[in-house]
Amino acid sequence: MDERQFVAYLKDKFPFHSGLGIGDDASVVRLGKYFQLISTDILIEDIHFRLQDLSLAELAEKSLAVNISDIAAMGGQAQYFYIGLGFPDGLRPEALRAFFSGLSRAAKKWRVDLAGGDYSRSKKMFIAVTIVGQSKKPVLRSGARPGDWIAITGPTGGSALGLKLLLAGEQNSPFIRLHKRPKPQCEKGLLLARYAHAMIDLSDGLLLDLSRLLQASGVGAEIDYEKLPVPPHFRRLCRQKNYAEKELVLAGGEDYQLLFAISPLQESRLRQTGMIYHVIGKTTKQRRLRVLENGQPLKISHFGFDHFLDQSDKKKK
Amino acid sequence: MDERQFVAYLKDKFPFHSGLGIGDDASVVRLGKYFQLISTDILIEDIHFRLQDLSLAELAEKSLAVNISDIAAMGGQAQYFYIGLGFPDGLRPEALRAFFSGLSRAAKKWRVDLAGGDYSRSKKMFIAVTIVGQSKKPVLRSGARPGDWIAITGPTGGSALGLKLLLAGEQNSPFIRLHKRPKPQCEKGLLLARYAHAMIDLSDGLLLDLSRLLQASGVGAEIDYEKLPVPPHFRRLCRQKNYAEKELVLAGGEDYQLLFAISPLQESRLRQTGMIYHVIGKTTKQRRLRVLENGQPLKISHFGFDHFLDQSDKKKK
């Protein structure tokens, strides 16, 4: 059972009667004039992070950031959150204070309140955050239509590059900072709520998250690799270290940029707001995902994207 | 830093601007005509449960039950929930289906929907549930007044006895079933919302949870041990096995009965509803907790209740 089958299994087994449940960045429930958005994310020691790589304050900040990003991806405003914390016995009491001090600073920065939680000692540390937000008009993954532009709010691959450097024993790099301290795109998310057809945050890699949006919308896409924002110092470092640039840009995770689909008319309006974003391709009726470089298709199956292609191939037959 | 100091530290560090946050069974936020209740609870392998002791379906049911109990303890109606699941690599895919089948059955039984979640492999299994409910008039821990009756909805100690039997290698006992499949007191919670001044669910032992309610309300209490409902077969088994009956009844956890404070007038009205409950004592102005047996105080410091007494002693001086 791969992830998509698992989500389909759960959606089938657990119908949600109060709104939109499983399958988007957050659930959506109408409450009077607005919609309540709720999302939950877990971070586990030695799966999602290693304690030696970042401070407990950074870890607290990151656990909040990735949840706020889910609300931003719906075009919503995060309001408050709940934390379930498993904390290793071996850590000293000061460590707990360091964690909550970092959490408090992050909460103030993003203007969200801690509303409750549960705490226990545990062998490995884990952090389960549930965040509550609201929106007047949530942007779902499923709203893209053929002929939309596809755009992203900023470069991808930087966090994955930072992780590679960290695992190689480096300590100081702007990319390592990107990895440790991701920035949810709150303001852009709110602005995009007025223009975008569909939106998702980039947590698991550009192609995987894009394929989720396309799948939900029932469309395909053509992306031009040349249009992707790849900063020169990123490109230089990849060449220097002999890292696969395209793999990092297309399949590296934890960028927390927003990816959205937008009609050409709305895009021309969005341009006038001055918000920085990058159009990287367009949606197609044909339900497959292609990445072109100088007009030639890249073999994206290299990045683990067979299943999406297989699925659309089956439908064509 | 003990639990009470930790909660005080968090309440101070994280003010909640939308309603009542940390410190009760659930947070309370007004939404139009009603109040939204949200609570989160974590269950961790080898801390809260051992995989050999209960099936994955039972574990799923229990993880939902303890959260629903938090909503019942506020006099609310549970509506939907989110799950963060860390699942050991070693378990087979069928195990995941068994877990979610149990969860689905439990969700149907208690009429709550799964609205979202996050999933990851992890070394030890853990389940973080966040539940959303509502109430027209939430019952807080803090509403008890001197002269209230203190009552509970059913016997305590049965789950702790079941756990002792389980750890001693036994498999079949009604008490083991109590431990594995706790029943949240949903209907009683809803009914009590109309009568009780203050309420809490018994998750960590009668005296500890009672002391939390008293602490939040700024009152003390006198409990009569003879008034506690102790079933004859429970008493008999304790004698037979040489288990400390009083310790199980007063300090055993995971009963998920409701404990409430109620004025004498309201109690006389509640009696007419036919709901089963047991008056076990009364609240006092004097902020200390005493348990009497035939009029003689029991040494409850044996059960780890020094700190509450110390605190009230300090205030007296």
Side-chain angles (χ1 to χ4, degrees), chain A:
Chain A
M1 195 156 52
D2 69 16
E3 192 210 287
R4 200 162 46 155
Q5 290 168 326
F6 184 47
V7 170
Y9 162 79
L10 289 180
K11 277 185 84 154
D12 182 57
K13 203 162 186 74
F14 294 94
F16 185 49
H17 300 92
S18 308
L20 278 173
I22 297 161
D24 214 306
D25 290 295
S27 66
V28 181
V29 175
R30 181 187 275 279
L31 289 179
K33 281 183 192 163
Y34 64 94
F35 294 87
Q36 186 172 58
L37 313 170
I38 302 186
S39 177
T40 196
D41 256 315
I42 50 181
L43 290 182
I44 308 176
E45 183 185 347
D46 293 339
I47 303 282
H48 302 99
F49 62 88
R50 301 186 307 177
L51 281 174
Q52 72 254 42
D53 287 338
L54 72 183
S55 73
L56 287 169
E58 285 169 337
L59 182 59
E61 180 180 342
K62 188 166 179 172
S63 67
L64 192 51
V66 303
N67 276 277
I68 288 179
S69 181
D70 281 323
I71 301 298
M74 307 291 291
Q77 175 87 50
Q79 298 168 287
Y80 43 90
F81 67 102
Y82 301 79
I83 188 164
L85 182 63
F87 209 74
D89 258 343
L91 291 176
R92 291 165 304 153
E94 297 89 83
L96 201 59
R97 283 181 191 270
F99 180 86
F100 280 105
S101 291
L103 191 65
S104 165
R105 276 196 302 278
K108 278 184 189 124
K109 180 167 66 175
W110 290 310
R111 294 172 193 217
V112 290
D113 285 348
L114 176 64
D118 193 15
Y119 167 85
S120 168
R121 68 201 171 82
S122 83
K123 204 169 157 71
K124 296 279 178 184
M125 185 163 178
F126 72 83
I127 308 134
V129 170
T130 303
I131 193 151
V132 176
Q134 65 175 42
S135 163
K136 281 201 171 165
K137 185 176 158 289
V139 186
L140 308 183
R141 292 180 182 177
S142 55
R145 302 167 214 167
D148 279 348
W149 291 120
I150 291 174
I152 53 179
T153 52
T156 59
S159 173
L161 175 56
L163 179 59
K164 269 180 110 72
L165 295 171
L166 207 50
L167 294 175
E170 296 200 28
Q171 307 252 332
N172 256 318
S173 157
F175 298 111
I176 291 178
R177 281 193 289 284
L178 268 186
H179 179 72
K180 287 185 181 183
R181 304 191 64 185
K183 285 187 185 49
Q185 301 294 319
C186 303
E187 292 80 9
K188 289 188 181 180
L190 281 173
L191 186 61
L192 285 168
R194 291 197 255 148
Y195 300 94
H197 275 159
M199 190 147 62
I200 190 170
D201 70 329
L202 296 179
S203 55
D204 295 334
L206 175 56
L207 289 189
L208 181 51
D209 289 316
L210 171 57
S211 75
R212 287 170 176 153
L213 182 144
L214 298 176
Q215 171 75 14
S217 297
V219 298
E222 235 168 57
I223 301 298
D224 295 303
Y225 190 80
E226 312 91 81
K227 290 187 182 161
L228 288 168
V230 183
H233 64 305
F234 175 93
R235 187 157 275 166
R236 212 178 313 127
L237 197 58
C238 284
R239 211 176 302 128
Q240 211 177 9
K241 298 269 177 189
N242 211 11
Y243 291 158
E245 176 200 301
K246 287 198 184 70
E247 190 173 329
L248 289 172
V249 169
L250 294 172
E254 302 200 68
D255 296 303
Y256 299 104
Q257 296 293 343
L258 299 173
L259 179 144
F260 56 99
I262 185 168
S263 73
L265 177 64
Q266 288 293 64
E267 195 272 331
S268 68
R269 288 175 182 150
L270 178 62
R271 217 180 308 146
Q272 286 158 31
T273 67
M275 192 193 96
I276 292 170
Y277 61 96
H278 312 266
V279 171
I280 61 170
K282 56 171 186 267
T283 55
T284 58
K285 249 188 212 166
Q286 203 179 15
R287 294 175 60 157
R288 69 175 183 181
L289 172 55
R290 300 214 307 167
V291 182
L292 305 176
E293 189 179 25
N294 305 317
Q296 295 301 312
L298 286 177
K299 278 206 177 155
I300 60 172
S301 59
H302 287 169
F303 311 125
F305 285 85
D306 300 308
H307 69 268
F308 188 72
L309 292 167
D310 285 345
Q311 178 82 358
S312 53
D313 283 352
K314 266 181 226 151
K315 291 211 170 147
K316 275 192 295 175
K317 275 167 201 166

Side-chain angles (χ1 to χ4, degrees), chain B residues 50 52-53 161-176 180 237 240-241 243:
Chain B
R50 301 186 308 176
Q52 72 253 43
D53 287 338
L161 175 56
L163 179 60
K164 269 180 110 71
L165 295 171
L166 208 49
L167 294 175
E170 296 201 28
Q171 307 252 334
N172 255 318
S173 157
F175 299 110
I176 291 178
K180 286 185 180 183
L237 196 58
Q240 211 179 7
K241 298 270 178 190
Y243 291 159

